Amino acid sequence: MTRLVLPILRAVAIATISSLILASSSFAQSAPQIDWNKIDSEALDYYRAYLRFDTTNPPSNTAAAIAYLKAILDKEGIATETFESKPGMVTLVARIPGPVGMKPLLLMSHADVVPTVAANWTHHPFDADIKDGYVWARGSIDNKAHGIMALMTVLALKRNHVELRRGVEMMVNPDEEAGGDNGATWMVNNHWDAIDPAFAFNEGGEGAPDWLGIKGTTFLVAVSEKRVNWLHVTVRGKGGHGSVPKPDNPNLILINALHRLLEKQPPIRITKIFADAMDSIAPLEPSPASFQLAHLDQPGVAQAAIAGVLSPYQIQALMRDTISLTMLNAGFKVNVVPTVAEAGLDCRLLPGTDADAFMKRLRDLLGPGDFKIEYIQRPDDAPPSPTSGEAWDAIKRVVASDFKDARVVPWMTTGGTDSRVLRAKGVPAYGFVPVILGEGEVARIHGDDERLSIDNLNRGIKATYDLTIDLCAARH
């Protein structure tokens, strides 16, 4: 009997696999054939021109850059709208409509960039020079390349008359680098009807080569992020002559208080998102890391992993609430004791952290003194995006088809993105930029000599298009 059953089961399995392959290939063949060399050449010109607009935040003046993108879309006959939250802060929404009653896919990006010190750069940050196969410019990764990937996707859809079962939108907004109050948050609060997507793709995740020693590429797709909790701390003391040291010097009070605070970082707490991500890669690690990653909830295991496989600081930042001292300001003359000293604290809270309890702990650690603590940005709550369903499955399919030896891991970002305002509205939003960045390239984001390889730009355009086709193109 076994001899008869096994061949039958084998035949059924082969037939099933073959039918899936045929279905997939027939769908791929029904999609228009794209001249990617032509698309890539056109995109590179758009990309460099877009990067040359100085959209530094502050002041986040995106008007000219948005006008440039809008003109390209208008020429192609793609519907566009612009929205101005404050003078110069302009958001662009472009759309290719789908059937009535089906919410669209939203491709998000932001046009503003962080400040630069041009003297520290090898190439001027707004010249978009090409050298060694890279485009060097502020915003080349964060986040103008993603905008060009969306632009080329909607252009290709329009030019090839792709029949859609779901509409496609792209939104390019200002002010992400300052918290988004005049960008994506403003759009959600004031013009939700202009977007209202089924799901969205945004910055926040990309491919990492040989991540945590695992051979191949791991795409860390953001389904959540730590909650931004920016604080301005002020303490008053007694001013006087610098030649007379006194304990009521506000600088001394502040320094001692910050030392107490920073030497007692919050305890380790493993969130479900982090545990799931580590559990998914545990089988790919050698022992003892494989055991540790699969059992982080057991006593002492997380501490052992931190000493080994989880030693990178960017990983450890996802295992606890964090407090970073980023700004200090006091005094105006070397022989004068000031009356006020100030500090800026960049705190990031894990999902589930009680924000009020966090603030109480912080106040207690600062200790005695005339401290005033003000919010620069309050933490908000947004549910994680699901790691199953239509959008998530499409990401996994595109990574498998477009990238060699690659896998997808659900991730949480240490930094904040505009995705949080969509998640708060119940819209699944995924941090997924289909490029592969080594640690050296990631370190350039917000730093000197930011750059992106032309190969990465090209593969990102194709993968963004493929993802959009997978989710939105009509099937026959």
Side-chain angles (χ1 to χ4, degrees):
M1 180 65 70
T2 302
R3 291 179 180 177
L4 291 174
V5 170
L6 287 178
I8 292 171
L9 291 177
R10 192 177 296 115
V12 169
I14 292 170
T16 302
I17 294 170
S18 299
S19 65
L20 289 172
I21 293 171
L22 286 171
S24 175
S25 63
S26 63
F27 174 62
Q29 289 169 7
S30 68
Q33 297 302 304
I34 303 295
D35 184 345
W36 290 110
N37 289 331
K38 184 177 179 181
I39 286 285
D40 292 343
S41 176
E42 181 183 4
L44 182 59
D45 290 340
Y46 291 154
Y47 179 47
R48 297 181 70 200
Y50 184 29
L51 288 167
R52 291 182 182 122
F53 290 96
D54 185 346
T55 53
T56 300
N57 189 354
S60 194
N61 189 327
T62 60
I66 291 299
Y68 172 74
L69 297 178
K70 184 178 186 300
I72 296 169
L73 293 157
D74 288 345
K75 185 178 178 181
E76 301 279 339
I78 296 171
T80 62
E81 286 185 278
T82 55
F83 306 85
E84 191 169 33
S85 56
K86 285 187 174 181
M89 293 190 179
V90 180
T91 294
L92 168 70
V93 175
R95 63 180 62 86
I96 299 178
V100 175
M102 281 289 287
K103 290 190 176 185
L105 162 67
L106 175 63
L107 304 173
M108 300 174 63
S109 65
H110 63 87
D112 61 316
V113 300
V114 295
T116 62
V117 179
N120 296 340
W121 283 58
T122 305
H123 302 266
H124 191 279
F126 294 105
D127 281 356
D129 289 342
I130 296 177
K131 187 177 180 182
D132 301 328
Y134 289 84
V135 180
W136 303 64
R138 172 59 85 223
S140 54
I141 300 175
D142 187 12
N143 179 238
K144 290 182 176 177
H146 203 207
I148 294 299
M149 293 170 197
L151 173 69
M152 300 314 297
T153 293
V154 296
L155 292 182
L157 293 174
K158 176 70 173 180
R159 290 169 181 173
N160 290 282
H161 309 288
V162 176
E163 183 183 352
L164 299 177
R165 70 178 192 275
R166 181 188 300 282
V168 180
E169 298 175 334
M170 68 174 278
M171 180 173 75
V172 186
N173 54 264
D175 205 38
E176 190 277 341
E177 299 292 2
D181 285 349
N182 295 294
T185 301
W186 184 82
M187 285 295 295
V188 166
N189 292 339
N190 295 278
H191 297 285
W192 181 245
D193 59 337
I195 44 177
D196 192 13
F199 26 70
F201 296 112
N202 190 24
E203 65 175 339
E206 60 277 323
D210 300 333
W211 184 65
L212 297 184
I214 301 170
K215 184 179 179 181
T217 301
T218 302
F219 275 87
L220 304 170
V221 177
V223 298
S224 184
E225 57 195 50
K226 294 185 76 176
R227 299 145 61 206
V228 177
N229 190 58
W230 290 343
L231 302 173
H232 179 240
V233 179
T234 306
V235 64
R236 302 190 71 84
K238 189 171 182 180
H241 202 289
S243 64
V244 183
K246 294 186 297 182
D248 54 6
N249 180 332
N251 290 341
L252 187 61
I253 296 170
L254 182 62
I255 288 170
N256 288 334
L258 291 174
H259 176 70
R260 287 191 295 271
L261 176 65
L262 297 174
E263 74 172 350
K264 293 185 178 179
Q265 288 282 344
I268 290 173
R269 180 165 67 84
I270 306 299
T271 63
K272 185 179 185 305
I273 293 171
F274 189 82
D276 288 348
M278 295 299 103
D279 190 60
S280 71
I281 65 167
L284 303 175
E285 293 281 0
S287 181
S290 57
F291 175 85
Q292 292 168 351
L293 295 184
H295 299 86
L296 290 172
D297 58 339
Q298 294 188 10
V301 173
Q303 288 291 354
I306 285 174
V309 66
L310 299 183
S311 61
Y313 289 123
Q314 63 268 30
I315 302 294
Q316 293 184 32
L318 294 171
M319 303 173 70
R320 55 162 51 97
D321 302 318
T322 53
I323 304 169
S324 291
L325 173 62
T326 55
M327 298 175 69
L328 286 170
N329 183 42
F332 52 88
K333 197 170 186 294
V334 71
N335 63 344
V336 177
V337 176
T339 58
V340 176
E342 302 170 301
L345 297 177
D346 183 348
C347 307
R348 307 282 173 141
L349 310 187
L350 291 169
T353 291
D354 185 320
D356 292 336
F358 176 86
M359 287 296 291
K360 183 181 184 305
R361 179 182 182 276
L362 186 145
R363 287 179 181 276
D364 290 345
L365 286 172
L366 286 176
D370 186 14
F371 287 101
K372 181 180 181 182
I373 304 175
E374 300 172 289
Y375 280 104
I376 300 172
Q377 183 172 327
R378 290 178 179 270
D380 48 21
D381 286 306
S385 299
T387 54
S388 62
E390 190 176 0
W392 182 259
D393 292 344
I395 292 172
K396 293 177 70 174
R397 283 193 295 271
V398 168
V399 166
S401 66
D402 287 15
F403 297 89
K404 182 181 178 181
D405 193 16
R407 66 199 61 86
V408 173
V409 171
W411 201 235
M412 175 172 55
T413 62
T414 56
T417 73
D418 289 330
S419 293
R420 71 186 189 280
V421 295
L422 285 138
R423 293 185 185 123
K425 291 282 287 186
V427 175
Y430 297 93
F432 177 57
V433 182
V435 297
I436 301 174
L437 301 176
E439 289 184 9
E441 298 309 305
V442 172
R444 297 171 186 264
I445 301 172
H446 286 209
D448 298 332
D449 283 340
E450 184 181 351
R451 66 184 190 177
L452 183 72
S453 72
I454 296 172
D455 284 346
N456 255 325
L457 178 66
N458 294 345
R459 81 177 86 185
I461 292 167
K462 182 180 185 302
T464 301
Y465 177 82
D466 289 345
L467 180 62
T468 305
I469 288 290
D470 187 301
L471 282 166
C472 302
R475 299 180 185 272
H476 297 290

